[in-house]
């Protein structure tokens, strides 16, 4: 059977570069003076300035990870950690500068807002430039705003939850985030309120040799529910950009949160993001994750099942092409009785790309009668790519049903032969198989992203069999 | 404190599985002679020097150097004809032979077959120490079955490094029985460099009290149409702890190769702990790799059924454990050895 010669992703929408125009760009590097300047620019309260400086101390003390992809090309002296765009926060697209609005238009954000979203936040470089939510949700007491506004207007809620789920000493890049964070979204869904239509925040990094460090804090109070979508992209530059965001999710008792992420950063991006959820009694946390971009990605969303009968599901796909090393996975800690977790992870490697699935399942002594099932599948589309599966399980009680299974392989020659014997061309057969492989994940994505993912697969395989 | 048995690929440090740290272990430089060694067939012994080359992985420099520099037993076996009866090596540790540091090399010549049993036994005294290296070279078309049986007591320190190299069409089938040792640390590495070479590893472990098992099995597939199969079945009672690290590494060029890995840990108490890291590393497209890993307690329905037939709880539990191990026990051809292992299972589950 002939080999599939896969073309690189057509990224024309994402690679649109605007001029590197800004209101303020901090000088490169990471010193207490730079942190103080960021804090000043952001009008931080005193407690936040102190928090940032302590986080910088922690950052300086922690080592780089001794595992995973090589991060030696990252030099913080080459990265500007704060870039303030030439506009303030607006709740009307008309007030957003034309070139920035044009970028979000091309990414389809305002259109999606009109048709299928209950609220939108749009961040450009280090600050949120647009935030809006439907009137009826405001009336129900839902808060959806940028993090800076939340720090000022809801200090008690923020202080109670900010970097408590993900403490700054978690790892080096969380500490970095704590020191330089800027932008991001804050969502509070009051008790019993069901937000039926998703909210979406979109993060766009335009400035070269810079970093984006947005902080997303979502609190879904008791009995409430929410679907939150996070999208991110950036145009490609020659030098590395850094994304070290942080997502903290609190799913209180009997609540439900679905967090969908479509990550399509450019191929010069180091994506070192941290996401964690604390899940209460009878609550459920669902993660849906598509990882397509970045030069290097180290992303392991985590659910901590603290409440009895709490549940979590992770559904994720990674798609690594030339020059990409996507080290993704999922972590779950069962920390209460009758908890359950279900993991379904897939990866596709092509054109020399590397996909790694890295995970942790920890079942603590108190998690009696818990269940955990993990399945991961990896598809190699050529013989120059790489695919690794590195799953850890740590079981500390006997009252548990735990199983993990993984498969690595190529597209089955027999399946291609079968489809071709039914009159389907080899190209179409391969695309059909890859789409079928990705289908259990793509069906969980918001519909516009699922369509985009299928288009991506078609584009990559179209006329590329040789 | 020494750190031993590093995985070939590291994962996050706080997952606590990249290696094992032993607080109270000191590597002795002077080792007393070991005299309790028996072999049932002296004709296989070679007078040539045992290989002292560096291990690809091994348990770490300190333990490896101890064997290279201070071993108190060296055994080189050359299999240059087909043997119908198993070749049995037995090391028995006791008061007068409390430290065993041995270096074993087995060479299976082209197209030759043999069964080799390597057994470690002890009485019940404290402070026994075993650190050994077993190297196996399976030449073209050879076939060798090896049983490595650790029946030391639960207070010993037991370290074994196994390294295999397989030429074209060679087959090595291992049965590893790991029951003894306060710390029982095993590093296993196979290099399937020859096309169509095959390596099967069946392992059973049984932990009680505060025993720690750290099993680090690594199979590298280099040749085309190679095949590796790792099957690990274990049971842990009391506060025993097990770390299983299994790596199947498909190297570029290992086309049409297959690798399967299956690990199951039966938890017989609420304070036993099971950690597992079954890795698949893949640099080659045209391969099939699968792994599965599971842990859980004994099925209550099975237990109820057996007890309803008049067995008490302990006997029922033993039956279930033995049933779980049965597929691997059946692969042991030597009836005497099989019965000895079954006796040990009964004894250790009492």
């Amino acid at each position: 059977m002939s080999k599939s010669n896969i073309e690189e992703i057509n990224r024309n929408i994402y690679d649109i570069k605007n001029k590197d125009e800004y209101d303020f760009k901090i000088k490169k590097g990471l010193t207490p003076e730079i942190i103080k300047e960021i804090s000043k620019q952001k009008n931080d309260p005193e407690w936040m300035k102190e928090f940032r400086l302590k986080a910088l101390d922690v950052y300086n003390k922690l080592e780089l990870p001794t595992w995973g992809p090589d991060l030696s090309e990252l030099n913080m002296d080459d990265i500007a950690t704060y870039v303030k765009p030439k506009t303030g926060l607006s709740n009307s697209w008309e007030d957003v500068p034309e070139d920035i609005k044009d970028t979000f238009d091309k990414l389809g954000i305002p259109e999606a807002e009109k048709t299928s979203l209950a609220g939108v936040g749009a961040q450009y470089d280090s600050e949120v430039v647009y935030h809006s939510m439907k009137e009826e949700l405001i009336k129900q007491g839902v808060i959806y705003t940028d993090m800076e506004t939340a720090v000022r207007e809801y200090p008690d809620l923020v202080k109670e939850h900010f970097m408590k789920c993900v403490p700054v000493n978690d790892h080096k890049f969380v500490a970095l985030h704590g020191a330089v964070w800027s932008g991001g979204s804050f969502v509070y869904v009051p008790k019993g309120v069901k937000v039926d239509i998703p909210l979406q925040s979109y993060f766009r990094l335009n400035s070269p040799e810079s970093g984006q460090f947005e902080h997303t804090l979502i609190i879904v109070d008791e009995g409430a529910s929410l679907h939150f979508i996070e999208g991110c992209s950036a145009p490609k530059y020659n030098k590395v950009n850094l994304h070290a965001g942080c997502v903290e999710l609190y799913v209180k008792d009997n609540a439900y949160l679905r967090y969908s992420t479509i990550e399509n950063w450019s191929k010069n991006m180091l994506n070192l993001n941290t996401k964690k959820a604390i899940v209460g009694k009878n609550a459920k946390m669902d993660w849906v994750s598509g990882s397509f971009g970045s030069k290097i990605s180290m992303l392991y969303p985590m659910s901590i099942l603290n409440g009895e009968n709490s549940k979590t599901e992770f559904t994720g796909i990674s798609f690594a092409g030339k020059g990409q090393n996507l080290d993704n996975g999922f972590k779950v800690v069962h920390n209460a009785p009758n908890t359950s977790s279900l993991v379904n992870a897939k990866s596709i490697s092509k054109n020399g790309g590397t996909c790694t699935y890295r995970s942790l399942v920890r079942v603590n002594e108190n998690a009696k009668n818990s269940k955990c099932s993990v399945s991961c599948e990896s598809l190699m589309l050529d013989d120059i790519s790489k695919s690794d599966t590195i799953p850890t399980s740590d079981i500390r009680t006997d009252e548990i049903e735990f199983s993990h299974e993984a498969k690595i392989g190529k597209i089955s020659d027999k399946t291609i032969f079968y489809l071709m014997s039914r009159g389907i061309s080899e190209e179409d057969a391969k695309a059909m198989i890859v789409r079928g492989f990705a289908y259990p994940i793509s069906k969980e994505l918001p519909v516009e992203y699922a369509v985009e993912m299928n288009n991506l697969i078609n584009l990559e395989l179209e006329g590329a069999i040789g | 404190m020494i750190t031993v048995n590093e995985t070939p690929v590291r994962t996050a440090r706080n997952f606590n599985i990249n290696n094992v740290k032993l607080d109270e272990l000191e590597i002795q430089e002077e080792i007393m002679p070991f005299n309790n060694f028996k072999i049932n067939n002296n004709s296989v012994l070679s007078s040539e020097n045992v290989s002292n080359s560096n291990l690809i992985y091994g348990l770490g420099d300190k333990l490896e150097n101890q064997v290279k520099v201070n071993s108190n037993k060296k055994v080189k076996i050359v299999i240059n004809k087909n043997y119908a009866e198993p070749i049995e090596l037995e090391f028995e540790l006791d008061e007068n032979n409390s430290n065993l540091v041995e270096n074993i090399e087995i060479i299976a010549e082209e197209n030759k077959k043999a069964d080799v049993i390597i057994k470690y036994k002890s009485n019940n005294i404290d402070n026994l120490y075993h650190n050994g290296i077993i190297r196996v070279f399976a030449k073209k078309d050879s076939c060798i079955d090896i049983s490595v049986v650790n029946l030391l007591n639960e207070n010993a320190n037991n370290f074994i490094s196994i390294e295999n190299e397989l030429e074209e069409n060679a087959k090595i089938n291992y049965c590893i029985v790991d029951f003894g040792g306060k710390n029982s640390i095993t590093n296993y590495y196979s290099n399937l460099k020859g096309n169509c070479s095959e390596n099967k590893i069946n392992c059973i472990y049984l932990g009680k009290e505060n025993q720690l098992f750290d099993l680090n099995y690594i199979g590298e597939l280099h040749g085309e149409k190679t095949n590796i199969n790792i099957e690990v079945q274990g049971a842990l009672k009391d506060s025993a702890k097990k770390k299983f690290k299994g790596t199947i590494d498909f190297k570029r060029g290992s086309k049409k190769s297959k690798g399967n890995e299956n690990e199951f840990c039966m938890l017989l108490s609420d304070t036993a702990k099971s950690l597992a890291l079954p890795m698949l590393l893949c640099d080659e497209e045209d391969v099939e790799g699968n792994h599965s890993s599971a842990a859980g307690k004994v099925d209550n329905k099975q237990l109820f059924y057996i007890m309803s037939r008049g067995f008490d709880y302990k006997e029922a539990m033993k039956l279930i454990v033995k049933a779980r191990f049965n597929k691997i026990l059946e692969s042991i051809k030597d009836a005497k050895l099989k019965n000895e292992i079954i006796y040990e299972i009964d004894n250790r589950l009492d």
Side-chain angles (χ1 to χ4, degrees):
Chain A
M1 191 61 67
S2 58
K3 291 275 166 295
S4 38
N5 176 20
I6 310 300
E7 301 295 327
E8 272 305 287
I9 296 175
N10 181 344
R11 295 182 45 90
N12 51 6
I13 299 168
Y14 307 103
D15 275 340
I16 300 160
K17 283 178 202 166
N18 290 344
K19 273 171 84 177
D20 184 23
E21 293 177 329
Y22 43 80
D23 190 42
F24 174 81
K25 189 169 185 174
I26 198 94
K27 65 179 182 180
K28 293 173 185 173
L30 207 55
T31 62
E33 289 65 42
I34 285 173
I35 302 303
K36 282 177 196 163
E37 182 59 33
I38 292 173
S39 195
K40 187 176 151 198
Q41 287 288 331
K42 298 187 68 65
N43 277 326
D44 275 345
E46 189 60 22
W47 72 269
M48 185 56 80
K49 186 177 97 179
E50 291 304 315
F51 183 91
R52 289 179 186 276
L53 289 167
K54 277 182 191 158
L56 178 66
D57 270 352
V58 176
Y59 170 82
N60 287 328
K61 283 175 190 155
L62 291 176
E63 292 173 4
L64 281 171
T66 54
W67 48 275
D70 178 14
L71 298 174
S72 56
E73 66 183 307
L74 175 62
N75 181 356
M76 286 310 296
D77 292 337
D78 290 340
I79 301 276
T81 51
Y82 180 69
V83 184
K84 187 177 184 180
K86 57 184 180 183
T87 179
L89 172 63
S90 168
N91 59 10
S92 161
W93 284 111
E94 298 310 313
D95 297 335
V96 176
E98 197 56 35
D99 56 340
I100 296 178
K101 177 178 175 290
D102 194 41
T103 303
F104 285 110
D105 264 338
K106 284 175 176 143
L107 292 165
I109 307 303
E111 186 57 33
E113 182 182 9
K114 279 183 226 154
T115 56
S116 55
L117 297 169
V120 160
Q123 177 160 339
Y124 191 82
D125 291 331
S126 295
E127 296 289 357
V128 177
V129 294
Y130 174 83
H131 233 291
S132 173
M133 186 173 60
K134 287 196 190 313
E135 194 63 34
E136 56 262 38
L137 291 181
I138 298 171
K139 284 181 189 158
Q140 287 179 290
V142 176
I143 302 165
Y144 179 38
T145 183
D146 62 300
M147 260 320 283
E148 283 76 3
T149 303
V151 170
R152 282 196 307 274
E153 295 183 10
Y154 310 100
D156 294 340
L157 259 181
V158 172
K159 269 187 187 172
E160 187 187 339
H161 295 94
F162 182 81
M163 298 206 82
K164 296 288 193 299
C165 176
V166 181
V168 285
N169 56 3
D170 217 30
H171 60 79
K172 192 169 181 74
F173 295 102
V174 166
L176 172 66
H177 173 91
V180 300
W181 78 269
S182 179
S185 292
F186 175 81
V187 184
Y188 174 75
V189 185
K191 284 182 186 175
V193 173
K194 312 274 185 199
V195 181
D196 296 327
I197 307 171
L199 302 177
Q200 173 169 342
S201 285
Y202 200 96
F203 302 98
R204 175 77 179 173
L205 182 59
N206 182 67
S207 189
E209 295 179 71
S210 63
Q212 195 167 59
F213 306 93
E214 84 286 352
H215 194 94
T216 301
L217 176 55
I218 299 177
I219 304 160
V220 186
D221 215 330
E222 290 174 20
S225 72
L226 172 69
H227 181 189
F228 189 85
I229 302 168
E230 172 197 71
C232 25
S233 68
K236 186 170 181 182
Y237 294 103
N238 290 329
K239 292 196 173 174
V240 295
N241 277 18
L242 173 63
H243 175 237
C246 180
V247 175
E248 296 186 283
L249 310 175
Y250 294 87
V251 192
K252 306 276 182 174
D253 294 355
N254 302 303
Y256 173 71
L257 173 59
R258 184 179 183 86
Y259 194 92
S260 303
T261 307
I262 308 303
E263 180 273 298
N264 205 351
W265 294 114
S266 55
K267 305 273 182 76
N268 63 316
M269 181 68 86
L270 307 187
N271 181 34
L272 310 173
N273 211 4
T274 306
K275 298 178 179 183
K276 205 184 276 190
I278 294 178
V279 190
K281 190 174 173 182
N282 297 320
K284 188 168 186 224
M285 172 75 224
D286 287 346
W287 302 88
V288 180
S289 175
S291 181
F292 305 105
S294 301
K295 182 175 190 182
I296 290 173
S297 171
M298 293 176 79
L299 178 60
Y300 322 98
M302 181 176 193
S303 286
I304 301 174
L305 301 175
N306 268 352
E308 205 170 325
N309 299 316
S310 55
K311 294 180 174 59
T312 190
E313 277 186 39
F314 174 82
T315 309
I317 190 161
S318 299
F319 205 134
K322 186 178 179 184
Q324 287 184 274
N325 187 344
L326 306 185
D327 196 304
N328 296 333
F330 181 63
K331 296 190 281 185
V332 58
V333 176
H334 290 253
N335 203 28
N338 305 317
T339 50
S340 76
S341 59
L342 184 64
V343 179
N344 185 9
K346 301 212 174 203
S347 72
I348 303 169
S349 324
K350 63 175 185 65
N351 219 2
T354 298
C355 268
T356 301
Y357 174 77
R358 191 185 301 271
S359 67
L360 172 70
V361 172
R362 179 166 288 152
V363 182
N364 282 335
E365 290 85 344
N366 57 344
K368 309 287 179 212
N369 298 315
S370 291
K371 289 180 184 170
C372 173
S373 173
V374 182
S375 163
C376 51
E377 284 183 80
S378 307
L379 191 59
M380 307 259 292
L381 293 184
D382 55 43
D383 57 7
I384 54 169
S385 300
K386 185 166 172 57
S387 180
D388 293 344
T389 308
I390 308 177
T392 305
S393 62
D394 181 353
I395 312 295
R396 303 175 181 189
T397 178
D398 63 340
E399 301 276 347
I400 169 80
E401 283 177 34
F402 163 74
S403 69
H404 170 101
E405 58 181 33
K407 286 180 196 164
I408 284 181
K410 65 168 195 168
I411 296 178
S412 154
D413 289 347
K414 278 185 195 162
T415 315
I416 294 172
F417 177 78
Y418 174 82
L419 291 170
M420 288 173 73
S421 74
R422 296 294 183 271
I424 296 165
S425 70
E426 188 178 342
E427 289 92 332
D428 287 348
K430 284 200 169 183
M432 199 180 276
I433 293 163
V434 175
R435 276 202 307 273
F437 177 80
Y439 176 72
I441 315 289
S442 64
K443 77 181 171 62
E444 299 297 328
L445 293 172
V447 67
E448 64 271 29
Y449 287 111
V451 169
E452 185 184 317
M453 192 173 115
N454 278 339
N455 287 340
L456 200 78
I457 291 169
N458 285 347
L459 260 173
E460 293 195 9
L461 296 169
E462 203 169 73
I465 313 294
Chain B
M1 185 184 74
I2 67 166
T3 302
V4 299
N5 220 7
E6 293 280 351
T7 50
V9 174
R10 288 177 67 81
T11 192
R13 200 180 327 188
N14 60 5
F15 294 0
N16 299 321
I17 199 158
N18 289 321
N19 48 43
V20 59
K21 291 180 168 58
L22 300 171
D23 291 333
E24 292 163 10
L25 187 76
E26 283 179 27
I27 307 290
Q28 293 174 22
E29 289 186 4
E30 280 191 36
I31 306 289
M32 299 299 283
F34 186 87
N35 299 313
N36 247 355
F37 168 64
K38 284 189 281 192
I39 183 164
N40 67 342
N41 186 343
N42 281 309
S43 70
V44 296
L45 291 174
S46 163
S47 56
E48 289 174 21
N49 285 337
V50 176
S51 170
N52 233 7
S53 59
N54 292 337
L55 295 172
I56 304 293
Y57 288 102
L59 290 168
D61 289 346
K62 286 182 179 170
L63 288 165
E64 186 177 337
N65 284 337
Q66 187 184 43
V67 177
K68 284 182 184 167
V69 178
N70 288 321
S71 62
N72 56 7
K73 195 73 211 169
K74 292 178 183 171
V75 182
K76 180 159 184 168
I77 292 173
V78 178
I79 294 158
N80 50 20
K81 64 174 191 178
N82 292 338
Y83 288 91
E85 293 299 313
I87 299 157
E88 294 179 34
L89 288 73
E90 185 175 300
F91 300 88
E92 186 162 2
L93 285 75
D94 59 22
E95 295 83 347
N96 302 317
N97 298 278
S98 59
N99 291 326
L100 169 63
V101 179
E102 94 281 16
N103 196 354
I104 299 174
E105 184 178 5
I106 301 169
I107 297 173
E109 297 290 358
E110 267 189 43
N111 206 24
K112 297 296 177 280
K113 288 185 181 177
D115 290 358
V116 179
I117 297 168
I118 305 169
K119 192 162 46 174
Y120 304 94
K121 294 168 66 175
S122 75
N123 59 13
N124 257 339
I125 65 154
D126 287 343
N127 298 322
L128 298 180
Y129 177 85
H130 166 229
N131 176 23
I133 291 177
I134 301 169
R135 285 187 180 84
V136 181
F137 299 91
K139 295 193 178 172
K140 192 178 169 190
D141 297 318
S142 63
C143 177
I144 180 161
D145 289 358
I146 303 177
S147 300
V148 179
V149 184
N150 157 22
L151 303 179
L152 298 174
N153 69 42
E154 288 92 19
N155 299 314
N157 274 305
N158 179 50
F159 302 97
I160 303 183
S161 302
I162 299 171
E163 187 164 293
N164 309 297
E165 192 173 297
L166 293 91
E167 292 186 352
E168 191 179 337
N169 228 13
K171 291 183 178 62
I172 304 182
N173 302 314
Y174 266 94
C175 177
I176 300 175
V177 176
D178 205 357
F179 290 172
K182 174 176 62 183
N183 300 301
S184 185
I185 318 292
T186 306
N187 185 277
Y188 178 101
Y189 166 72
S190 267
N191 177 1
L192 285 83
K193 67 177 195 178
N195 293 345
C196 302
S197 55
E198 287 183 24
N199 186 204
K200 193 183 278 185
I201 305 114
N202 284 328
C203 169
I204 50 176
Y205 62 86
L206 184 58
K208 61 191 276 196
E209 296 165 2
N210 288 309
Q211 281 186 276
L212 166 69
F213 293 88
D214 192 83
L215 318 174
N216 189 5
Y217 291 7
I218 305 152
E220 272 181 11
L221 290 80
H222 292 267
E224 291 186 13
K225 296 182 183 171
T226 54
N227 196 329
I228 189 163
N229 200 321
I230 303 174
E231 174 85 20
V232 178
Q233 297 280 343
L236 299 174
K237 60 183 270 198
D238 306 328
S239 295
K241 185 174 180 181
K242 174 269 318 180
K243 292 184 181 185
F244 169 74
K245 291 106 76 161
T247 307
I248 295 179
D249 191 354
F250 294 99
K251 297 293 186 187
R252 195 152 294 160
S254 60
K255 292 184 186 307
K256 310 279 180 208
S257 291
K258 290 181 182 174
N260 286 296
E261 184 180 6
N262 179 32
E263 192 256 346
F264 182 80
C265 180
M266 206 183 312
L267 295 159
L268 307 179
S269 98
D270 197 27
T271 46
K273 291 184 174 60
S274 165
L275 276 86
L277 174 56
M279 288 194 269
L280 283 175
L281 311 178
C282 191
D283 271 309
E284 173 57 54
E285 170 205 24
D286 191 5
V287 296
E288 278 179 48
N290 300 289
H291 72 214
S292 63
S293 162
K297 65 184 292 193
V298 170
D299 185 344
N300 278 336
K301 281 183 191 161
Q302 282 180 13
L303 206 55
F304 177 78
Y305 178 81
I306 297 169
M307 289 173 76
S308 73
R309 296 295 183 270
F311 290 91
D312 67 16
Y313 176 82
K314 198 182 276 180
E315 291 302 317
M317 192 72 95
K318 283 181 189 174
L319 276 176
I320 291 170
V321 171
K322 282 187 282 189
R324 191 87 214 178
F325 290 175
N326 193 50
K327 188 178 153 201
I328 293 176
L329 291 171
E330 284 302 312
S331 70
I332 300 171
K333 292 172 193 162
D334 187 79
K336 198 177 91 195
L337 179 66
K338 197 193 305 184
N339 288 335
E340 192 176 353
I341 292 167
I342 290 169
Y343 171 81
E344 284 287 337
I345 295 171
D346 282 331
N347 199 23
R348 288 173 195 251
L349 283 176
D350 257 340

